[in-house]
Amino acid sequence: MVILPPSAPRAVTLDLLDPLPEPARRYLLHTGIVGHPWIYTVRLKQRGVFRLGEKKPWMPLKAEQVYTTEPPGFCWKARLKMFGLWIVYGCDTYKQGHGHMFGKVAGLWTIFDARGEPLDQASMVRYLNEMVWFPTAFLSDYITVRSASADSFEVTYTEPGGAVAQDRSVTARLTVDEAGRLTNFVAQRYREDHGRFTLDTWATPFSEHGVRAELLLPVRGQAVWKLAQGDLVYADLTITSVEYNIPLEEF
């Protein structure tokens, strides 16, 4: 099945930003989103380095990721280079409120395969984090934005539980500079550690910004666990291309 965005997406208007706290409004104005079509589907490509733990080697990474915004979801597929070969495969999906993460080496040996409530929460935080690459999502009905300080704002993403389950929410704080560039994202997120999950502080400081698909976006950043024993930086990624409102194969 192919997911098709509307043939004529509505445009973002300035009045939609009026209810937002000043730092959030500053950020969205900086992206150039006003006048831009509403974003329903996304495809982007990444490159960078990744490691599975503090004492694990850094591996070159190349990935492609697709998103839907109504309803929220994503599918991330990555290849990592080990021993000079692109033999490590990773896949991370979030759909209908549930996450699934798995990885294999050489298509034979499974190195991780995770599902469950902690991963659902971790996937929700990841979606909330990566909305910075399709910023109309900050104006969606499932997002609540609140003021936090003169240079930061809090964002809550709520996944409806339906008739028999409770709604679930995750919250993050985003920091912006005077120009409106995002500088950091911080949230509580579940982390897998030797087969068990712990709720830890997770951050993605952004170090570079650039134009992708006619919007000014964060294009490089790190993924960091803020642990009692010190920071664990495990990814450094750059967004190389972005496409909006394109047909997607259902994931």
Side-chain angles (χ1 to χ4, degrees):
M1 180 178 175
V2 177
I3 301 169
L4 296 172
S7 57
R10 56 182 170 145
V12 178
T13 55
L14 187 61
D15 62 289
L16 292 176
L17 278 57
D18 288 345
L20 299 176
E22 194 281 330
R25 189 165 57 250
R26 189 191 333 157
Y27 152 64
L28 288 174
L29 287 171
H30 171 77
T31 67
I33 199 66
V34 175
H36 194 278
W38 201 273
I39 299 167
Y40 295 90
T41 63
V42 186
R43 178 186 291 117
L44 59 79
K45 294 182 179 180
Q46 303 167 318
R47 60 173 174 80
V49 292
F50 184 91
R51 59 180 176 172
L52 296 171
E54 182 180 9
K55 297 182 180 180
K56 301 293 185 180
W58 286 100
M59 296 180 286
L61 173 149
K62 55 184 180 182
E64 182 171 303
Q65 188 164 3
V66 295
Y67 306 84
T68 58
T69 64
E70 296 185 12
F74 65 74
C75 180
W76 181 78
K77 295 181 178 180
R79 292 282 182 183
L80 298 98
K81 185 179 287 189
M82 179 182 287
F83 309 124
L85 300 173
W86 296 97
I87 58 173
V88 181
Y89 171 74
C91 182
D92 195 358
T93 59
Y94 175 65
K95 184 177 181 180
Q96 297 178 347
H98 298 290
H100 180 212
M101 180 187 300
F102 72 91
K104 289 189 173 184
V105 176
L108 299 174
W109 297 281
T110 299
I111 52 178
F112 54 86
D113 189 341
R115 301 177 190 264
E117 291 186 10
L119 187 61
D120 294 344
Q121 190 271 359
S123 298
M124 289 180 67
V125 174
R126 176 169 178 170
Y127 181 86
L128 181 60
N129 172 256
E130 295 175 359
M131 287 179 2
V132 301
W133 298 322
F134 42 99
T136 61
F138 285 92
L139 303 172
S140 299
D141 292 340
Y142 49 83
I143 296 296
T144 303
V145 183
R146 294 180 297 275
S147 179
S149 72
D151 61 357
S152 66
F153 58 98
E154 286 191 347
V155 181
T156 297
Y157 162 37
T158 300
E159 176 72 37
V164 296
Q166 293 184 336
D167 294 354
R168 292 178 297 168
S169 297
V170 294
T171 298
R173 177 175 288 202
L174 286 77
T175 306
V176 300
D177 66 12
E178 292 184 357
R181 290 184 293 260
L182 286 175
T183 59
N184 205 1
F185 171 105
V186 180
Q188 295 299 113
R189 186 186 185 198
Y190 276 104
R191 176 178 70 100
E192 192 275 335
D193 182 23
H194 298 92
R196 67 186 185 94
F197 282 90
T198 60
L199 190 61
D200 295 306
T201 301
W202 185 67
T204 62
F206 303 110
S207 56
E208 294 182 18
H209 295 73
V211 176
R212 302 287 187 272
E214 301 181 351
L215 294 180
L216 189 52
L217 308 172
V219 296
R220 184 179 180 185
Q222 294 180 321
V224 185
W225 289 110
K226 314 288 285 187
L227 306 175
Q229 62 269 34
D231 289 358
L232 171 59
V233 181
Y234 68 92
D236 189 325
L237 301 175
T238 297
I239 303 302
T240 58
S241 68
V242 179
E243 297 175 276
Y244 296 134
N245 292 337
I246 39 86
L248 298 178
E249 291 292 330
E250 187 175 16
F251 53 84

